[in-house]
C-alpha cells in the first residue's frame, strides 16, 4: 500500500510520526512518501537551509529538538555567536552547530551538481526516517511575504511603501506580526515537480494533507505547476486534517497567513479553501476536532465528507490515532 502525504514542518512531521506508527502496527508493508515544502528554503551565510525538509528528516529520524520542534537536539549555537561577534547579518536566524553539518553537505552536493532530491535521499541515509522524502521541486523556489516596509518608509503621498521579506525573516525576525499583504512563491512559474512527485500522488492508494500550514506549507507545495492538478485527479482518496481547532491554529501562525489570503481561520474556512474534489477541489474527506463538531453539517454541505475526531497530537499515540482516523476515512467511500 502506498500512502503519499504533502507536508510542511512541525505539524506535518508530528502527524507523520503517528502515521508511521499506525502503519507499522496495521500495515507493515505500507510505504509512505512525503512531498516536502521547499518554499521556506533560504541561503544563510552561504549555506542552503531547507527548514521543512530538515524538520521532517530530523523528526522522523529521531534527531529533532523536541523543545523547539525544529533543528537538532543537544544543539549549540557557537558559530552563530561568532558570526554575530563579527557583526555579520542575519543574526536573527538560529543556525545550530550540529545543523550546519547538514547544510554543508547539502550546499557542497548541490554545487557539485546533485539535485535536491538526490541530496535529500543521501541525507536520509543517515537518519532513516522510514519514509521517502521528496522535495516538491528541485528548482529554486522561495516564499516571500509582501508587507508594509518595517522601517515605516512611505511614498511621497504618505502611503506606506511595501517590501518583500523572505518568509524566514517574516516568520522568525518579525514573528509573523507584520500584516502580510501577499505571499509570493518566487520561482513558482519556472518550477517543475521533482522526479517521482506526480507519480507519488497519482499512483498512491491514499493521499493525505496533514495539519500543516495551509498557506505557506501545503499551499506552497500546491503552487508548483502540476501538483494541485495531480491531487485533483488522483484515483486515490484524498483526506485532509484541519490545522485549525476552535478558531485558532494549533501552533504557528496559520491565522496570520489565512487572514492574508482572505480565508476564515476555522476548520470550515480551510476545508472550503481546499475545496471538495467533486467540485474540482482537493479533498474528499476532512477531519476536524471534536470542539468543532458543530461545523460538520456546513462541511458536508460543501461536498466534503466531514469526520470528527480528536486532532490534538499531544503524543505519538494521539498522532497514530489521528492517522488511523484518516486511513479509515480513506477506506470508507
Ligand atoms: N524558527 C524560529 O522560530 N527561530 C529560528 O531561529 C529558527 C531557525 C531555524 C533553523 C533551521 C531550521 O531548519 C528551522 C529553523 N526555524 C526557526 C524554524 C523554521 O523557521 C520553520 O520551521 C519553518 O520554516 C516554518 O515551518
Amino acid at each position: 500500500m502506498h500512502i503519499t502525504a504533502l507536508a510542511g514542518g512541525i505539524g506535518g512531521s508530528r502527524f507523520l510520526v503517528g502515521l508511521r506508527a499506525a502503519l507499522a502496527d496495521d500495515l507493515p508493508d505500507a510505504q509512505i512518501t512525503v512531498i516536502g515544502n521547499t518554499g521556506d528554503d533560504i541561503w544563510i551565510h552561504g549555506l542552503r537551509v531547507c527548514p521543512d525538509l530538515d524538520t521532517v528528516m530530523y523528526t522522523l529520524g529521531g534527531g529533532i529538538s523536541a523543545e523547539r520542534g525544529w533543528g537538532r537536539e543537544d544543539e549549540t549555537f557557537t558559530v552563530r555567536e561568532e558570526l554575530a561577534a563579527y557583526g555579520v547579518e542575519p543574526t536573527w536566524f538560529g543556525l545550530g552547530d550540529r545543523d550546519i553539518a547538514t547544510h554543508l553537505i547539502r550546499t557542497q552536493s548541490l554545487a557539485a551538481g546533485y539535485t535536491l532530491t538526490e541530496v535529500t535521499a543521501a541525507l536520509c541515509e543517515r537518519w532513516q526516517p522510514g519514509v521517502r522524502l521528496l522535495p516538491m521541486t528541485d528548482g529554486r523556489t522561495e516564499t516571500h511575504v509582501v508587507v508594509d516596509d518595517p522601517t515605516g518608509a512611505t511614498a511621497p503621498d504618505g502611503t506606506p511603501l511595501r517590501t518583500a521579506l523572505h518568509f524566514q525573516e517574516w516568520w522568525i525576525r518579525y514573528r509573523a506580526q507584520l500584516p502580510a499583504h501577499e505571499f509570493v512563491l518566487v520561482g513558482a512559474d519556472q518550477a517543475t515537480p521533482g522526479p517521482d512527485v506526480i507519480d507519488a500522488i497519482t499512483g498512491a492508494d491514499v493521499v493525505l494533507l496533514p495539519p500543516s500550514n495551509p498557506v505557506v506549507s501545503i499551499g506552497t507545495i500546491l503552487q508548483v505547476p502540476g501538483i494541485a492538478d495531480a491531487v485533483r485527479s488522483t484515483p486515490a482518496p484524498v483526506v485532509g486534517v484541519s490545522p485549525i481547532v476552535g478558531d485558532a491554529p494549533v501552533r504557528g501562525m496559520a491565522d496570520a497567513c489565512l487572514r492574508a489570503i482572505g480565508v476564515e481561520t476555522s476548520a470550515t474556512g480551510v476545508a472550503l479553501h481546499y475545496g471538495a474534489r467533486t467540485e474540482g477541489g482537493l479533498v474528499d474527506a476532512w477531519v476536524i476536532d471534536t470542539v468543532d463538531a458543530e461545523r460538520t453539517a456546513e462541511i458536508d454541505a460543501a461536498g466534503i465528507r466531514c469526520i470528527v475526531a480528536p486532532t490534538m497530537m499531544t503524543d505519538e499515540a494521539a498522532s497514530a490515532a489521528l492517522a488511523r482516523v484518516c486511513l479509515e476515512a480513506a477506506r470508507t467511500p
Side-chain angles (χ1 to χ4, degrees):
M1 182 178 203
H2 292 269
I3 293 160
T4 295
L6 278 57
I10 300 168
S13 297
R14 285 221 171 119
F15 176 84
L16 292 169
V17 167
L19 176 64
R20 186 181 59 181
L23 290 171
D25 292 343
D26 307 355
L27 284 165
D29 298 338
Q31 287 162 19
I32 304 171
T33 298
V34 177
I35 296 170
N37 169 38
T38 60
D40 291 5
D41 297 2
I42 186 170
W43 285 106
I44 291 284
H45 307 302
L47 297 176
R48 190 68 180 161
V49 179
C50 300
D52 276 0
L53 295 181
D54 290 349
T55 295
V56 171
M57 181 174 74
Y58 290 154
T59 302
L60 292 172
I64 197 78
S65 158
E67 173 211 348
R68 289 190 302 272
W70 53 265
R72 293 278 282 104
E73 63 185 351
D74 302 328
E75 185 61 284
T76 52
F77 294 90
T78 305
V79 172
R80 175 192 188 180
E81 289 153 16
E82 286 299 298
L83 287 164
Y86 279 111
V88 173
E89 288 297 336
T91 53
W92 47 263
F93 192 83
L95 191 63
D97 299 324
R98 290 177 184 270
D99 202 22
I100 286 174
T102 300
H103 311 319
L104 283 170
I105 293 168
R106 179 184 293 121
T107 304
Q108 288 172 333
S109 304
L110 291 172
Y114 292 98
T115 65
L116 185 57
T117 299
E118 290 166 333
V119 175
T120 304
L123 292 169
C124 285
E125 278 305 303
R126 170 188 175 189
W127 292 104
Q128 294 296 306
V131 304
R132 183 173 57 149
L133 178 54
L134 300 177
M136 68 187 200
T137 178
D138 282 335
R140 180 171 173 187
T141 54
E142 291 186 0
T143 299
H144 287 204
V145 189
V146 179
V147 296
D148 289 346
D149 191 291
T151 65
T154 57
D157 66 359
T159 54
L161 284 179
R162 290 187 175 184
T163 188
L165 299 176
H166 188 286
F167 170 78
Q168 293 298 338
E169 185 169 10
W170 181 72
W171 185 262
I172 298 172
R173 184 178 184 187
Y174 296 106
R175 305 306 305 151
Q177 297 306 302
L178 299 177
H181 296 296
E182 189 183 358
F183 293 96
V184 180
L185 183 61
V186 176
D189 38 1
Q190 287 97 22
T192 55
D196 297 340
V197 166
I198 298 301
D199 289 348
I201 296 169
T202 55
D205 296 297
V206 179
V207 174
L208 299 175
L209 303 186
S212 293
N213 187 309
V215 181
V216 293
S217 291
I218 304 277
T220 304
I221 298 170
L222 294 168
Q223 282 189 61
V224 176
I227 293 183
D229 286 343
V231 176
R232 288 188 189 96
S233 63
T234 179
V238 181
V239 182
V241 179
S242 175
I244 306 296
V245 174
D247 290 332
V250 174
R251 65 172 296 133
M253 287 150 242
D255 45 347
C257 302
L258 289 164
R259 200 175 307 125
I261 63 166
V263 172
E264 179 191 273
T265 299
S266 72
T268 306
V270 180
L272 300 183
H273 173 60
Y274 284 144
R277 285 229 290 174
T278 52
E279 311 286 326
L282 297 165
V283 293
D284 297 305
W286 188 244
V287 181
I288 66 174
D289 194 83
T290 46
V291 306
D292 292 313
E294 81 283 354
R295 293 183 174 275
T296 304
E298 61 197 30
I299 294 169
D300 282 338
I304 300 170
R305 188 157 39 87
C306 186
I307 294 103
V308 179
T311 62
M312 299 303 282
M313 299 182 285
T314 47
D315 57 18
E316 183 171 309
S319 302
L322 177 58
R324 286 194 175 92
V325 166
C326 294
L327 295 171
E328 183 54 37
R331 272 193 287 273
T332 46

